[in-house]
Amino acid sequence: MPSDRDLFVEEQSMVTMSFGEHLEELRVRLILALAGLMIGVLIVFIPPLDLGKRVMERMEAPAKNALTDFYASEYAKKREAAEAQKAISPEVRAQIPASAFVAALRDLVPDLKLPAAEALGDRTIDLPMRYHMSGMIGVTEKSAYQIDNSLISLGPLETITIYFLVCLVAGLVLASPWVFYQIWAFIAAGLFKHERHYVMRFLPVSLGLFITGVVLCFAFVLPLTLAFLLDFNIWLGVAPTLRLSEWMSFATLLPLVFGVAFQTPLVMLFLERIGIFTVDDYRSKRRIAMLMIAIGAAVLTPGQDPISMTLLMLPMILLYETGIILISRGSKSKGRTLVEA
């Protein structure tokens, strides 16, 4: 049996709440959550820590690394093709009049002391020549990718706007324990006394799932998505240039989407525990759930590419199935407990 004293002691006397009381509770929890978010953002802005700048640099790193790898790969391909062409191209020798050669040098370097063209007579100059690919003329490894791996900004306010967005998201992640506490506290206010112990149990799990989703997106989804998009550029033969605002908007919003999406099994389990849905309901509505997950992934992902949508949809489907497994196991253990009693 759950204890009458839990995380939300101030709300134990509530059994039912009116609609107006729910709105007042929502207002209080929103104010407290925003206050915690503001403190988190202020911590990110503290100059000695420079958390905002560090987070922004970490978010830019996958894009810069992907661009570096792309241009390095392109340079290596061009160099290999040039070497192969050089190996099969025959060396020829061209004979040109010495007077024409001297005249060309005089046009290029007027101050160079050269003999008069008439004094050279009919002499010729024998020059060895070999065919080289025109694509490699003037191309070095440095010019191929070390300069082009930077993100570009096209507006005077673009950089500072993105910086504030990054600081806001970093502050939200930093204050996520407090924000999640306020969310679950609002949910607990509308529950009966015997149901509120679920909130105390689910709160740390909810926070852990959110952090897991954010970290998984940063470590796996963003690099994989960017690699796919750059490979598509290679297939079309288009050299990519990433804009700062577009990449940073994508890199800041998608992790939050993943963090929220990872709450799926916990929400399913919570709704089953308070008697709204059963495991049979989740199983019978599986097709509808898959359709809603696909639509939600298409709407929530900030990019228009199919890879980010797929990488969000597949974990959500797995999490939905995980929720069904957790509920069914919990129901079996609960049934055994009742039988033994």
Side-chain angles (χ1 to χ4, degrees):
M1 295 293 294
S3 173
D4 289 340
R5 299 181 59 82
D6 62 13
L7 189 62
F8 307 100
V9 178
E10 71 275 10
E11 295 154 355
Q12 291 299 315
S13 60
M14 297 182 183
V15 178
T16 59
M17 296 178 66
S18 65
F19 181 72
E21 290 173 332
H22 274 292
L23 290 180
E24 178 63 21
E25 181 72 15
L26 177 62
R27 184 184 69 85
V28 172
R29 296 301 175 184
L30 281 177
I31 292 175
L32 292 176
L34 290 175
L37 174 60
M38 185 178 298
I39 294 174
V41 173
L42 290 177
I43 293 175
V44 173
F45 270 113
I46 294 177
L49 297 178
D50 282 336
L51 291 180
K53 182 180 179 181
R54 294 180 182 180
V55 172
M56 191 166 179
E57 290 175 350
R58 292 294 298 270
M59 288 182 173
E60 291 178 4
K64 290 185 176 181
N65 293 337
L67 286 175
T68 299
D69 295 340
F70 170 82
Y71 283 109
S73 176
E74 286 297 290
Y75 171 77
K77 291 178 183 178
K78 290 181 179 180
R79 182 162 187 164
E80 290 177 2
E83 293 295 332
Q85 185 64 39
K86 180 180 178 181
I88 64 174
S89 62
E91 183 177 283
V92 296
R93 308 189 73 84
Q95 291 185 350
I96 61 174
S99 57
F101 182 75
V102 170
L105 283 178
R106 185 176 286 109
D107 291 338
L108 292 175
V109 187
D111 299 333
L112 189 63
K113 294 182 179 180
L114 296 170
E118 296 80 6
L120 296 174
D122 296 333
R123 295 179 183 178
T124 60
I125 297 178
D126 191 14
L127 294 178
M129 300 182 66
R130 188 187 293 270
Y131 173 76
H132 292 273
M133 291 184 63
S134 60
M136 290 298 297
I137 296 177
V139 177
T140 63
E141 190 172 359
K142 182 175 181 179
S143 65
Y145 69 90
Q146 291 183 352
I147 297 176
D148 296 328
N149 69 342
S150 58
L151 278 66
I152 63 171
S153 175
L154 301 180
L157 300 178
E158 183 173 326
T159 305
I160 190 171
T161 303
I162 293 300
Y163 178 75
F164 279 112
L165 175 62
V166 171
C167 291
L168 179 63
V169 174
L172 177 59
V173 174
L174 193 64
S176 57
W178 176 254
V179 174
F180 271 78
Y181 168 79
Q182 298 304 324
I183 294 174
W184 282 101
F186 170 71
I187 295 173
L191 300 178
F192 291 105
K193 186 181 296 186
H194 68 279
E195 296 172 335
R196 291 175 185 159
H197 70 284
Y198 292 122
V199 173
M200 183 176 62
R201 295 179 181 178
F202 290 170
L203 175 59
V205 180
S206 177
L207 180 61
L209 288 173
F210 176 77
I211 299 298
T212 301
V214 172
V215 173
L216 181 64
C217 183
F218 269 114
F220 176 72
V221 176
L222 287 178
L224 187 61
T225 302
L226 193 57
F228 167 79
L229 296 177
L230 291 182
D231 288 340
F232 197 75
N233 280 40
I234 295 175
W235 181 63
L236 292 176
V238 178
T241 300
L242 297 181
R243 185 176 177 181
L244 177 67
S245 60
E246 295 178 354
W247 166 251
M248 295 302 292
S249 299
F250 182 79
T252 52
L253 295 180
L254 192 60
L256 294 182
V257 172
F258 266 77
V260 174
F262 268 56
Q263 307 295 311
T264 303
L266 190 63
V267 173
M268 293 171 61
L269 184 60
F270 178 73
L271 294 178
E272 189 271 340
R273 288 290 184 266
I274 63 177
I276 296 180
F277 293 109
T278 64
V279 65
D280 294 330
D281 294 331
Y282 290 124
R283 287 171 177 165
S284 61
K285 301 296 189 295
R286 182 181 276 110
R287 292 183 179 180
I288 299 177
M290 301 304 173
L291 177 61
M292 297 303 297
I293 288 174
I295 295 174
V299 173
L300 292 176
T301 49
Q304 295 81 26
D305 58 289
I307 189 68
S308 59
M309 170 189 166
T310 304
L311 291 176
L312 176 61
M313 183 177 67
L314 291 180
M316 288 184 68
I317 293 175
L318 293 177
L319 290 170
Y320 184 84
E321 296 297 333
T322 303
I324 293 178
I325 295 173
L326 291 175
I327 294 171
S328 61
R329 288 185 176 180
S331 301
K332 289 179 181 179
S333 62
K334 188 187 299 183
R336 292 196 194 99
T337 304
L338 292 176
V339 171
E340 292 174 358

